[in-house]
Amino acid sequence: MRVLICIDDTDNLESIGTGEVLENLCAALYENGLGRGGFVTRHQLYLHEDIPYTSHNSAMCCEAEIEGLEKALHFCRAYMDASCAEGSDPGLCVVDLEKLESHEKLILFGVSAKNTVLKKKDAINTAELHQGAVYLSEHGGTGDGVIGALAGCGLRLSGSDGKVKGKLHPPETGAVMTVDELCLHCLLRDATDVNHQPVDPTDSVLFSVPTKAVFWQNKPTVYLTKDESGRAKWRVFGIQELKGLVD
Amino acid sequence: VWQIDAHREAFLYGGNGGDKAHETAERCPDFKEDCEDERVSDTLISCYNCRYRRWTQASFDCMKGKNG
C-alpha cells in the first residue's frame, strides 16, 4: 500500500537534519522488510517570529510503499521516539493514500502553513477529519512538529511545492548535453523553463553548476533558463538562483 | 553587518548580501556548514549556509550562543 510519511522539528543546532532523519527512517523500514521509501521533498513553511523553528521551518516528506500499515506505523513511531534530537518537538504524519477520500482539506492546511501561524490544535482538528487515513503523532517536547508534518503531507499531495532532497551534479565541469541526456543523467522525468513550459528534448543544455530538482506536477523537475554564454540554448539554474524562484 | 539587541543578532543585508555573508563566515570561528539541503549559497563558506543562522522573513539571525 502507498503512504506518505512526513516529519518535522526533529533536530537541534547540533544534530543531523530532518531530511537525513527521514532518509534513515526509510532505510530502516527497508532493512526491516516493512517498506521502501521514494525520493524526499522539502517543503518550506512560514517564517515568523511566533513559530519556534530551529533554523528554516521546513518539513520533509516522502511517498513509501509499505507491506502493512499497523506494523509500519508502529515502527515509524518507535523510530521517531528514539531518533529525534534533544530539545526538538518532533511530529510524524503518515497518510494512507488508498484510504484518503479527499485531498482538498490537507492541501489547504499545507498551503495555509506557508503564510499563517498555525497551532497544534489546528493540525489535530484537520487530521481528525480524515480518521482512518491520516495518522498524526507527537514524539517529544511540545509536539508542535505535528503542524509541519501534516502541512508537509498536504503540500506533497498538492503535487507542486518545494524541492527534492539532494543535489544534482554535472558529469564534468561545463558539461553540454541535450535535455534528454540531462534527464537521463539526473534520473529525472522532466525539465522545463521557469514558466513550466516544455522544452525540446533535443535542445542543448549547459550543466555547469550543481542544481536541485523542484517538485512540480508530481515529478522531480529541473528548471532551465536561456543560456546567454552562447555555449548552449539553455542552462540549469544554480542553487542560489533557485532560492529566488522556489521556496 | 549585524543589528544587535538584547535578544537578536540580525544580518543587515537580507538575502542580497552574498559578499558580506561570505566575508563574515570566513572570519567566524563558529561557522558550521548546514546540511546540504539547507545550503542556499553557491559559496560554501557563507553565513547563508551556516547551521547557526535562523531565517526570518527579511533576513536571518545568528543563533550561535543563543540556544545553540
Side-chain angles (χ1 to χ4, degrees):
Chain A
M1 63 193 302
R2 291 183 312 121
V3 297
L4 292 181
I5 303 173
C6 187
I7 63 176
D8 188 30
D9 212 336
T10 67
D11 60 352
N12 61 30
L13 288 175
E14 311 299 336
S15 70
I16 61 171
T18 300
E20 199 172 340
V21 173
L22 181 55
E23 284 184 336
N24 292 344
L25 166 59
C26 288
L29 270 174
Y30 182 69
E31 283 162 13
N32 285 273
L34 294 170
R36 178 190 287 262
F39 62 87
V40 172
T41 46
R42 175 195 185 277
H43 302 279
Q44 179 67 55
L45 307 175
Y46 195 26
L47 296 174
H48 191 282
E49 60 189 29
D50 292 342
I51 301 175
Y53 53 87
T54 308
S55 59
H56 19 70
N57 201 24
S58 58
M60 293 286 185
C61 188
C62 74
E63 188 173 322
E65 186 71 37
I66 58 168
E67 297 300 327
L69 183 65
E70 273 196 34
K71 273 188 180 174
L73 201 52
H74 179 76
F75 185 90
C76 289
R77 287 173 172 170
Y79 189 93
M80 290 288 285
D81 286 338
S83 306
C84 296
E86 192 181 336
S88 63
D89 304 311
L92 165 72
C93 184
V94 175
V95 175
D96 180 343
L97 291 171
E98 286 153 28
K99 293 269 174 60
L100 186 66
E101 290 176 356
S102 164
H103 293 186
E104 188 185 348
K105 288 191 172 68
L106 286 189
I107 293 173
L108 275 175
F109 185 85
V111 171
S112 65
K114 291 178 84 73
N115 54 31
T116 313
V117 179
L118 296 170
K119 301 292 181 198
K120 191 164 71 177
K121 189 71 186 157
D122 299 320
I124 292 167
N125 290 344
T126 302
E128 282 176 351
L129 298 172
H130 303 87
Q131 281 188 14
V134 174
Y135 299 87
L136 202 54
S137 51
E138 302 175 25
H139 297 274
T142 66
D144 276 349
V146 293
I147 301 167
L150 186 72
C153 284
L155 292 166
R156 178 74 182 239
L157 279 171
S158 79
S160 298
D161 183 84
K163 295 175 189 153
V164 178
K165 179 170 167 32
K167 267 186 189 175
L168 304 172
H169 293 272
E172 59 197 25
T173 307
V176 176
M177 56 185 68
T178 66
V179 172
D180 253 354
E181 288 166 342
L182 171 76
C183 290
L184 193 63
H185 174 74
C186 299
L187 301 176
L188 294 168
R189 280 155 59 195
D190 215 353
T192 71
D193 72 7
V194 285
N195 298 312
H196 309 115
Q197 297 303 304
V199 297
D200 187 325
T202 64
D203 279 356
S204 58
V205 183
L206 175 62
F207 187 9
S208 58
V209 291
T211 190
K212 294 178 77 71
V214 300
F215 188 55
W216 181 253
Q217 294 189 338
N218 289 304
K219 292 178 289 192
T221 299
V222 163
Y223 279 167
L224 305 177
T225 188
K226 296 279 184 192
D227 177 44
E228 307 290 345
S229 75
R231 297 180 62 194
K233 183 163 183 182
W234 303 96
R235 67 173 174 84
V236 301
F237 280 97
I239 289 168
Q240 196 167 327
E241 290 177 293
L242 272 176
K243 177 158 173 68
L245 299 170
V246 186
D247 276 342
Chain B
V1 175
W2 304 101
Q3 180 182 340
I4 300 172
D5 64 28
H7 307 289
R8 294 181 58 190
E9 200 168 326
F11 186 66
L12 282 172
Y13 300 91
N16 299 313
D19 290 344
K20 292 285 185 194
H22 169 60
E23 289 164 17
T24 305
E26 283 235 304
R27 290 196 306 269
C28 178
D30 297 315
F31 171 78
K32 180 182 175 186
E33 289 168 32
D34 202 350
C35 52
E36 188 176 76
D37 280 279
E38 301 299 347
R39 293 181 213 150
V40 298
S41 173
D42 294 332
T43 306
L44 180 61
I45 310 297
S46 167
C47 293
Y48 291 150
N49 291 342
C50 181
R51 183 72 186 193
Y52 298 115
R53 53 92 179 88
R54 183 180 192 268
W55 291 106
T56 59
Q57 283 184 14
S59 184
F60 67 84
D61 296 346
C62 177
M63 302 303 289
K64 183 63 188 175
K66 303 292 189 296
N67 61 358

